[in-house]
Amino acid sequence: MATRAIAPGYPQFFSRADGCRVWDADGNEYIDFMCAWGPNVLGYRHPNVEAAVMKQLREVDSGNGPTETLIELAETLTDTLDHADWCLFQKNGTDATTACVTIARAGTGRRKVIMAKGAYHGAVPWCSPSVVGVTAEDRAHLMTFEWGDVASLDTAVAEAGDDLAAIILTAFRHDVGRDQEMATTDFLKAARAHCDRTGAMLICDDVRAGFRLDVRGSWAAQAVKPDLAAYSKAIANGWPLAAIAGSDRAREGAEKIFSTGSFWYGAAAMAAGLATIRILRDTDALAHTVVMGERLRSGLDQVAARHGFRLRQTGPVQMPMVLVDGDQDLRIGNALCLAALRHGVYLHPKHNMFLCAAHGPAEIDRAIEGVDAAFTEIVAAGVEHA
Ligand code: PMP
């Protein structure tokens, strides 16, 4: 049996994780650059986070209603995130993006939602990348535009007319299998201006980048504030939690909608979230991932060049996308990543990867050595340069 999202040749099951390392079911150890596809931001089994969870579990996890931990977490998030005046908690990123859309429609009384072509916002009919089991009616009011292209956004907004409920954007363009693109301030400001002019809601889907780029929210440095932002992945260092953080502009819609889930009051994950956000806010953990990301990027460039390859490394260094230049069918990238596994390094050939605070210089250098050995191996096996 294989878990379908994991490529053939990759370990399919895991037995242990610690810091920046994972062990597969056969006991092989890897330096991990997927970080559970994003949730691991501080290091697997971070002691402060685990202690907060264990303390909460001794008291109550899921009860008949929320605990004080929810209030403390909501206050911490609204204090930490630039745009936020209130929060609502769920379990998965898809819960949060979907509720953002529902809140925008409830608050505006309108239907149209504009998203970028190829962007990922979750695995439910309104936005899933697969249309299997999805009806046209599920997407009747979903419109698309070219990410980052202001003219294309203008056209979609004009088409939506007075029925525009929301524009939803990922923090930056992190689509699978292509170079990543940061959001320019002009693009974000254009989206903000459309929402201000039309009364629509600007939604930042910060599920993947949130609490990795900037603890204040991924657009904070550009001073563009969303009305609603969706978080999950890194918010609780691997414990199941998602959140919507909204501004007062979006509060009315949030107060109107029906929203609930069996485990949404679960306090253990909220305790994990509280501990995680405090560490991210009060330490240099994220700055450290940037330094390590730069070390990895330059090391990989040097190793690739030594073997006669050129890499296209894009996106934030702490969320690296590494593609081999000219490798249209990913033949080289796939062979390289499989060889890297044999040298104890867990990479992804076409999805952005993730660094965590537990990656230190020794692990980064060890990973670069592993990739060096992997290049030697694939060249010896006859993988040709593109
Ligand atoms: N939005 C983005 C940008 C994501 O990366 C993801 C998860 N990869 C989601 C939404 C959906 O999150 P989840 O898988 O937790 O439902």
Side-chain angles (χ1 to χ4, degrees):
M1 189 177 103
T3 46
R4 270 169 67 184
I6 304 176
Y10 270 68
Q12 303 288 323
F13 291 89
F14 293 85
S15 58
R16 196 152 83 84
D18 193 48
C20 66
R21 289 180 162 79
V22 292
W23 285 260
D24 68 20
D26 298 320
N28 299 307
E29 177 182 330
Y30 306 93
I31 297 176
D32 176 34
F33 289 97
M34 283 311 283
C35 289
W37 299 74
N40 171 28
V41 66
L42 294 173
Y44 292 110
R45 299 174 59 229
H46 189 282
N48 295 22
V49 178
E50 300 308 283
V53 170
M54 295 310 150
K55 178 173 180 300
Q56 186 65 57
L57 284 175
R58 282 194 293 274
E59 295 163 6
V60 59
D61 182 23
S62 288
N64 293 352
T67 64
E68 270 180 40
T69 308
L70 178 145
I71 304 296
E72 240 182 305
L73 176 60
E75 286 175 353
T76 303
L77 283 172
T78 52
D79 285 349
T80 305
L81 294 164
D82 263 6
H83 74 283
D85 297 313
W86 55 266
C87 290
L88 186 64
F89 297 101
Q90 307 84 14
K91 282 293 164 196
N92 288 290
T94 308
D95 302 337
T97 55
T98 302
C100 282
V101 167
T102 309
I103 289 169
R105 286 180 169 147
T108 58
R110 305 179 195 161
R111 297 175 297 178
K112 303 289 180 206
V113 172
I114 298 176
M115 64 171 274
K117 279 179 205 147
Y120 185 69
H121 295 299
V124 279
W126 78 265
C127 60
S128 164
S130 163
V131 291
V132 178
V134 173
T135 66
E137 288 79 5
D138 287 318
R139 299 191 180 181
H141 299 291
L142 188 69
M143 302 170 63
T144 57
F145 77 105
E146 286 298 328
W147 203 96
D149 181 340
V150 174
S152 166
L153 180 61
D154 294 347
T155 306
V157 169
E159 272 171 34
D162 59 8
D163 203 13
L164 181 63
I167 300 172
I168 181 167
L169 304 173
T170 52
F172 65 96
R173 187 177 197 173
H174 46 51
D175 308 352
V176 177
R178 51 160 294 140
D179 294 342
Q180 313 290 277
E181 274 175 61
M182 299 313 289
T184 66
T185 305
D186 283 352
F187 168 59
L188 294 181
K189 288 210 161 126
R192 181 67 267 170
H194 277 307
C195 290
D196 289 341
R197 188 178 51 75
T198 60
M201 299 291 150
L202 179 60
I203 303 171
C204 176
D205 176 354
D206 219 356
V207 169
R208 198 177 308 177
F211 303 111
R212 216 173 212 101
L213 297 194
D214 190 323
V215 77
R216 301 167 302 165
S218 294
W219 297 339
Q222 284 148 302
V224 175
K225 295 186 183 181
D227 302 301
L228 292 156
Y231 298 94
S232 194
K233 291 202 187 274
I235 193 172
N237 203 48
W239 290 87
L241 186 68
I244 295 175
S247 70
D248 281 331
R249 196 167 181 268
R251 193 188 286 272
E252 195 194 329
E255 284 172 351
K256 282 186 188 163
I257 67 158
F258 179 78
S259 180
T260 182
S262 295
F263 302 104
W264 286 13
Y265 287 141
M270 293 186 193
L274 195 52
T276 303
I277 305 300
R278 283 180 177 151
I279 295 168
L280 292 174
R281 199 188 53 193
D282 301 339
T283 72
D284 67 352
L286 291 185
H288 169 80
T289 64
V290 173
V291 176
M292 291 303 110
E294 281 162 358
R295 191 177 181 109
L296 179 68
R297 187 164 287 188
S298 67
L300 291 181
D301 270 341
Q302 284 168 26
V303 160
R306 249 202 325 275
H307 293 276
F309 293 87
R310 209 176 76 80
L311 299 179
R312 291 209 319 271
Q313 303 200 66
T314 56
V317 289
Q318 66 276 45
M319 295 177 67
M321 171 68 91
V322 182
L323 298 169
V324 178
D325 200 30
D327 184 25
Q328 305 297 358
D329 57 2
L330 290 177
R331 198 173 39 87
I332 304 171
N334 285 332
L336 181 69
C337 288
L338 288 176
L341 285 172
R342 293 191 285 275
H343 293 279
V345 187
Y346 194 105
L347 303 171
H348 200 291
K350 62 176 180 191
H351 192 283
N352 75 267
M353 294 180 271
F354 301 88
L355 270 72
C356 71
H359 284 108
E363 286 82 13
I364 297 294
D365 293 350
R366 166 70 201 79
I368 294 165
E369 279 168 30
V371 173
D372 193 4
F375 267 120
T376 303
E377 206 175 295
I378 66 166
V379 170
V383 172
E384 287 157 28
H385 299 194

